[in-house]
Amino acid sequence: MFKVPDHQVAGHRASQGVLGPLIDDSGRFYKPLQSDERGSNEVVFYTQFSSNKEIPNHIRKFFSVYYDTQLIEASDGSGLLPHLVLEDITSTRTNPSIMDVKIGSRTWYPQASEDYITKCLMKDRQTTSLPLGFRISGLQIYGSEQSGYWKPDKKRVLGFTAEDVRVVLRKFVSSNSSDDFGTEPDCAFAAAVYGGSTGILAQLLKLKAWFEDQTIYHFYSCSVLMVYEKEPILNGKSPSAAVKLVDFAHVLDGQGVIDHNFLGGLCSLIKFISEILKDQPHDLTKDNSGSEIACANDCNKI
Amino acid sequence: MFKVPDHQVAGHRASQGVLGPLIDDSGRFYKPLQSDERGSNEVVFYTQFSSNKEIPNHIRKFFSVYYDTQLIEASDGSGLLPHLVLEDITSTRTNPSIMDVKIGSRTWYPQASEDYITKCLMKDRQTTSLPLGFRISGLQIYGSEQSGYWKPDKKRVLGFTAEDVRVVLRKFVSSNSSDDFGTEPDCAFAAAVYGGSTGILAQLLKLKAWFEDQTIYHFYSCSVLMVYEKEPILNGKSPSAAVKLVDFAHVLDGQGVIDHNFLGGLCSLIKFISEILKDQPHDLTKDNSGSEIACANDCNKI
């Protein structure tokens, strides 16, 4: 009944002896609770968030639906373990291209232990978190039935430089992305995926507006997941581009202050993506679903 | 000809044996060049910025006019020393209330020495920089001819908690601010100073829009200076509220990335100030100069 997700791009992957998330056929995603306070923190967050009436509906849709916490057989064979039962974001998608972007130049918070702070600070300095305000944690880009996915391994991804990130954000929406870093990405799907009134940039801008105002939560070490499907675009249909927030083991009470760390990183990601859209020739200002892309307006707005 | 500025609120104050800035009667401010690379960095910044054609005029006015670098007698009696010659922001103002707010949760940059990083990180953690994304570095609030200025000393200011900062930003625009933390600030001048189409909030929002887009500079350890005059308000005139950026000894090339650290902190300051405006009774939506305050619109915008 439970199986290992096909489209996981970051975090530990379930296997014999390794604890990781599972999915079922009904579109649910089972995330094992980490045994320390991170597990309980994430349950507290989902429970509290689900019933929080201050969250506008247009923001709630950036979060996976939370169903329950359930005891199921752990993937590592260690017996029954509590799992968060969430919506499986990829269950309705065929060959999704996915990118996991950890937001914030700082993944640690003042109240954490000195050991934890030292470890996070080192990783923030070794990756692009510090210079860019975000780092890519994992990704897969669908090429074609023949080429399959381009899915660089974890070590490779964490070694991305600022320039690599710029290229990978272009490759993510290109038709020639199945090889490695050799070819100049053509950004053929930039307008359809990043642009448009329902594209990724428009969604990130909605999230940004909320983060400029909300003082309820501070999201440390949380990721923006960007997902879309390439094949529908080739058939003149919508790529179903979606932005989701994931990983809430380090969410803190905002105590009346905005999450300036997340907001700064989010604005940096937005700037990278709007620059890709700006570079597109003007005759591409219509996406394949026929609606105007958001670039012209949004580039002024941001 | 040269004298010690009356209205300096942060940094070393010139005196016998102490190096500090000086002013003259013609409205010029002489800032001694720090002997290490900070001094030369600041000269390079002002020189480059002055001739940079990419800076829009509505942004240039947030920076002091830079005239020259000049050898003058240092305040500490050490002989001739190069000084930056800048516009004296306070020369045209009588009894200015001033607040120096160092922006950014991080005052260090990756390329700095480990010693410098350790020192800055400790200070960022000990002050409100980390939780709020900014810290107050100094201030003076004019009360009346009788009470003079409320000007807490440096140690006191750096010890401000998040709650203190919230109160001080209210005291800054209050008519009953001459005493210490005893009285609830009345925010009598909030609409006139923070609000309005030319008020401090409107100016900070213009600065924010630029920081969402500009990738030329990263401003580490740079301050937003907020200045206004109380007495004109009482006579139905404009408080001449101004926002200026100061201290550019740690400006780095942005390398095509926005300054997410400065932007995050600026958005946090903006949120604090807009909350003060939101708290104002609705019949105060006109400032004393008769123009509508920016609150209603800007609170939606941010």
Side-chain angles (χ1 to χ4, degrees):
Chain A
M1 177 189 172
F2 297 112
K3 55 183 187 183
V4 178
D6 285 329
H7 303 301
Q8 191 185 336
V9 299
H12 291 292
R13 200 169 152 76
S15 68
Q16 200 97 47
V18 180
L19 190 61
L22 298 166
I23 55 169
D24 67 14
D25 286 334
S26 76
R28 298 194 172 196
F29 183 87
Y30 298 81
K31 183 175 179 181
L33 288 194
Q34 287 162 298
S35 56
D36 53 17
E37 74 279 6
R38 288 177 295 174
S40 50
N41 281 352
E42 197 156 18
V43 176
V44 168
F45 171 76
Y46 271 115
T47 311
Q48 202 272 331
F49 182 85
S50 300
S51 62
N52 190 334
K53 293 197 167 53
E54 290 180 66
I55 313 299
N57 284 332
H58 74 280
I59 294 303
R60 198 173 284 284
K61 70 172 190 216
F62 291 118
F63 293 77
S64 299
V65 177
Y66 167 66
Y67 297 107
D68 203 357
T69 305
Q70 197 177 309
L71 275 177
I72 67 164
E73 198 70 42
S75 66
D76 61 354
S78 63
L80 288 175
L81 212 80
H83 286 62
L84 287 164
V85 188
L86 301 167
E87 166 195 12
D88 176 8
I89 297 162
T90 63
S91 71
T92 56
R93 295 168 194 268
T94 319
N95 302 323
S97 293
I98 309 177
M99 196 184 296
D100 180 303
V101 186
K102 198 183 279 271
I103 305 290
S105 64
R106 174 163 53 91
T107 55
W108 55 275
Y109 37 95
Q111 304 85 336
S113 73
E114 288 302 315
D115 278 359
Y116 181 81
I117 291 176
T118 306
K119 209 181 81 183
C120 288
L121 182 57
M122 197 168 68
K123 208 162 177 184
D124 295 344
R125 293 180 69 180
Q126 282 167 347
T127 62
T128 64
S129 292
L130 212 66
L132 303 191
F134 64 87
R135 66 176 177 247
I136 299 177
S137 289
L139 79 154
Q140 65 177 28
I141 307 178
Y142 184 69
S144 63
E145 210 179 311
Q146 203 178 2
S147 68
Y149 290 95
W150 184 64
K151 191 171 179 173
D153 66 25
K154 192 176 169 179
K155 202 181 150 190
R156 178 80 194 283
V157 171
L158 288 179
F160 281 168
T161 63
E163 191 45 40
D164 291 341
V165 167
R166 207 176 284 279
V167 174
V168 168
L169 284 168
R170 295 170 64 88
K171 275 174 83 70
F172 189 59
V173 291
S174 289
S175 70
N176 59 346
S177 51
S178 53
D179 61 339
D180 215 84
F181 277 91
T183 321
E184 174 70 22
D186 62 15
C187 293
F189 308 124
V193 176
Y194 289 151
S197 59
T198 59
I200 281 176
L201 179 60
Q203 293 183 55
L204 292 175
L205 287 169
K206 277 182 192 150
L207 206 53
K208 168 178 174 262
W210 185 61
F211 270 92
E212 285 172 335
D213 191 52
Q214 76 86 15
T215 61
I216 314 170
Y217 304 113
H218 283 191
F219 295 90
Y220 288 101
S221 233
C222 166
S223 286
V224 155
L225 210 65
M226 304 190 286
V227 193
Y228 80 95
E229 284 169 272
K230 204 168 264 184
E231 281 158 324
I233 309 175
L234 304 170
N235 301 319
K237 293 193 181 125
S238 160
S240 306
V243 166
K244 294 276 180 183
L245 291 182
V246 295
D247 296 340
F248 307 111
H250 302 284
V251 176
L252 268 73
D253 185 323
Q255 301 192 297
V257 179
I258 64 163
D259 189 350
H260 45 88
N261 177 60
F262 189 100
L263 177 59
L266 182 63
C267 288
S268 179
L269 176 62
I270 284 171
K271 175 71 178 174
F272 272 79
I273 289 178
S274 32
E275 281 187 347
I276 295 171
L277 280 170
K278 263 191 209 162
D279 285 347
Q280 297 312 299
H282 279 295
D283 52 21
L284 281 179
T285 52
K286 300 245 173 210
D287 66 24
N288 285 306
S289 64
S291 66
E292 282 199 24
I293 67 158
C295 177
N297 290 327
D298 290 331
C299 292
N300 290 334
K301 242 190 284 171
I302 62 166
Chain B
M1 177 190 173
F2 297 112
K3 54 183 186 182
V4 177
D6 285 329
H7 304 300
Q8 191 185 337
V9 299
H12 293 291
R13 199 168 154 77
S15 67
Q16 199 97 46
V18 180
L19 191 61
L22 298 166
I23 55 169
D24 67 13
D25 286 334
S26 76
R28 298 193 172 196
F29 182 88
Y30 298 80
K31 184 177 178 178
L33 288 193
Q34 288 162 298
S35 56
D36 53 17
E37 75 277 9
R38 289 177 294 174
S40 50
N41 282 351
E42 198 156 16
V43 176
V44 168
F45 171 75
Y46 271 113
T47 312
Q48 203 272 331
F49 182 87
S50 299
S51 63
N52 190 333
K53 293 198 167 48
E54 289 181 66
I55 313 298
N57 283 333
H58 74 280
I59 294 303
R60 198 173 285 283
K61 71 172 188 214
F62 290 119
F63 294 77
S64 299
V65 176
Y66 167 65
Y67 296 105
D68 203 358
T69 304
Q70 197 176 309
L71 275 178
I72 68 164
E73 198 69 41
S75 66
D76 61 353
S78 64
L80 288 175
L81 212 80
H83 287 63
L84 287 164
V85 189
L86 301 166
E87 166 195 10
D88 177 8
I89 298 163
T90 61
S91 70
T92 56
R93 295 168 195 267
T94 320
N95 303 321
S97 293
I98 309 177
M99 197 183 298
D100 180 303
V101 185
K102 198 184 278 274
I103 304 290
S105 65
R106 175 163 54 89
T107 54
W108 56 274
Y109 38 94
Q111 304 86 335
S113 73
E114 288 303 314
D115 278 357
Y116 181 80
I117 291 177
T118 306
K119 209 180 81 182
C120 288
L121 182 57
M122 198 168 68
K123 208 162 178 185
D124 295 344
R125 293 180 68 181
Q126 283 166 346
T127 62
T128 64
S129 292
L130 212 66
L132 304 191
F134 63 87
R135 67 176 177 248
I136 299 176
S137 290
L139 78 153
Q140 66 177 28
I141 307 178
Y142 183 69
S144 63
E145 211 179 309
Q146 202 178 3
S147 67
Y149 290 95
W150 183 64
K151 191 171 178 175
D153 66 25
K154 191 177 171 180
K155 202 180 150 191
R156 177 81 194 282
V157 171
L158 288 179
F160 281 168
T161 63
E163 191 45 40
D164 290 340
V165 167
R166 208 176 283 279
V167 173
V168 168
L169 284 167
R170 295 170 63 89
K171 274 175 85 70
F172 189 59
V173 291
S174 290
S175 70
N176 60 346
S177 52
S178 54
D179 60 339
D180 215 82
F181 277 92
T183 321
E184 174 71 27
D186 61 16
C187 294
F189 309 123
V193 176
Y194 289 150
S197 59
T198 59
I200 281 176
L201 179 61
Q203 293 183 57
L204 292 175
L205 287 169
K206 276 182 193 151
L207 206 52
K208 167 177 175 262
W210 186 60
F211 270 93
E212 285 173 336
D213 191 52
Q214 75 87 13
T215 61
I216 314 169
Y217 303 114
H218 283 192
F219 295 90
Y220 289 101
S221 234
C222 166
S223 287
V224 155
L225 210 64
M226 306 190 285
V227 193
Y228 81 95
E229 284 169 272
K230 206 169 264 184
E231 283 158 323
I233 309 176
L234 304 171
N235 302 319
K237 295 195 181 120
S238 160
S240 306
V243 165
K244 293 277 180 181
L245 291 181
V246 294
D247 295 340
F248 307 111
H250 302 284
V251 176
L252 267 73
D253 185 324
Q255 302 192 297
V257 179
I258 64 163
D259 189 349
H260 45 86
N261 176 60
F262 189 100
L263 177 58
L266 182 62
C267 288
S268 179
L269 176 63
I270 284 171
K271 175 71 177 173
F272 272 79
I273 289 177
S274 31
E275 281 187 347
I276 295 171
L277 279 170
K278 264 190 207 161
D279 285 347
Q280 297 312 299
H282 279 295
D283 52 21
L284 281 179
T285 52
K286 301 246 175 211
D287 67 24
N288 286 307
S289 65
S291 66
E292 282 199 23
I293 67 158
C295 178
N297 291 328
D298 290 332
C299 291
N300 290 333
K301 240 190 283 170
I302 62 167

